[in-house]
Amino acid sequence: MTALDKLKQGNEEWVAEIKKSDPEFFDRLAEGQAPEVLWIGCSDSRVPVNQVTGAMPGSIFVQRNIANMVVNTDTNLLSVVFYAVKALKVKHIVICGHYGCGGVKAAMGNDSIGMIDSWLVNIKNVYQKHAKELEAISDENKRFDTFVELNVKEQVQNMAKIAFIQEEWAAGNTPSIHGWVFSLKEGKVVDLNYSIDSKDQLEEIYRYN
């Protein structure tokens, strides 16, 4: 059985299991979506959003890229976020990184790995901003974990810097933005207790009138 055959078989088994417990589930799913959460995560195959959160289809709107970055010139990401907050009216945006992230690890070094180097510059900028704090950590694994966490926090800020996000806040709407990290070793989500729900939490230069 090929890898694709396994996927198709897995799908058939999943459908059968869902229909057994909830025969009308797919009829409801086809009617539309109303997720309350937008998830910005890493493309890493070890962090499948619905599985690690126990969420059913239709409950989380998802955007994934290498190292869960919020790059303010990324039109793909901006389009996803715009639709999520303007059309779907999500209440929460979760930026979720993960310990052991290959993109973050690569950004800590100086090896060139091709086209991805251009993307890694965005992560390297985070390292440069926090270089004093990171380089004061002698344990390399601890420094790596701390960098993962700091990167998530920076992406929370980047999300808050988007003009149409601030436009929603000015209108009295959500969403609030939260920073989480997933632990591959434990299978658990770690809440960094780092959230933004107002432009007042940003430096003044980033606040739009």
Side-chain angles (χ1 to χ4, degrees), residues 94-114:
V94 173
I95 316 290
C96 189
H98 66 97
Y99 298 120
C101 179
V104 172
K105 183 68 172 179
M108 295 177 74
N110 297 103
D111 292 337
S112 174
I113 49 178

Side-chain angles (χ1 to χ4, degrees), residues 72-90:
N72 298 91
T73 56
D74 182 348
T75 55
N76 182 293
L77 178 135
L78 292 174
S79 297
V80 169
V81 177
F82 186 89
Y83 185 76
V85 300
K86 295 292 188 178
L88 299 177
K89 301 296 182 182
V90 298

Side-chain angles (χ1 to χ4, degrees), residues 19-101:
K19 286 185 174 180
K20 182 178 180 180
S21 61
D22 186 353
E24 298 178 355
F25 175 80
F26 291 106
D27 291 330
R28 295 196 305 273
L29 194 66
E31 292 176 358
Q33 62 174 327
E36 294 188 0
V37 176
L38 166 62
W39 178 283
I40 309 296
C42 183
S43 298
D44 195 300
S45 62
R46 299 169 295 177
V47 193
V49 180
N50 288 66
Q51 285 92 330
V52 303
T53 59
M56 293 297 288
S59 57
I60 305 177
F61 203 60
V62 180
Q63 162 76 14
R64 297 172 70 179
N65 59 52
I66 293 174
N68 44 269
M69 301 299 290
V70 178
V71 179
N72 298 91
T73 56
D74 182 348
T75 55
N76 182 293
L77 178 135
L78 292 174
S79 297
V80 169
V81 177
F82 186 89
Y83 185 76
V85 300
K86 295 292 188 178
L88 299 177
K89 301 296 182 182
V90 298
K91 296 179 179 179
H92 302 280
I93 298 176
V94 173
I95 316 290
C96 189
H98 66 97
Y99 298 120
C101 179

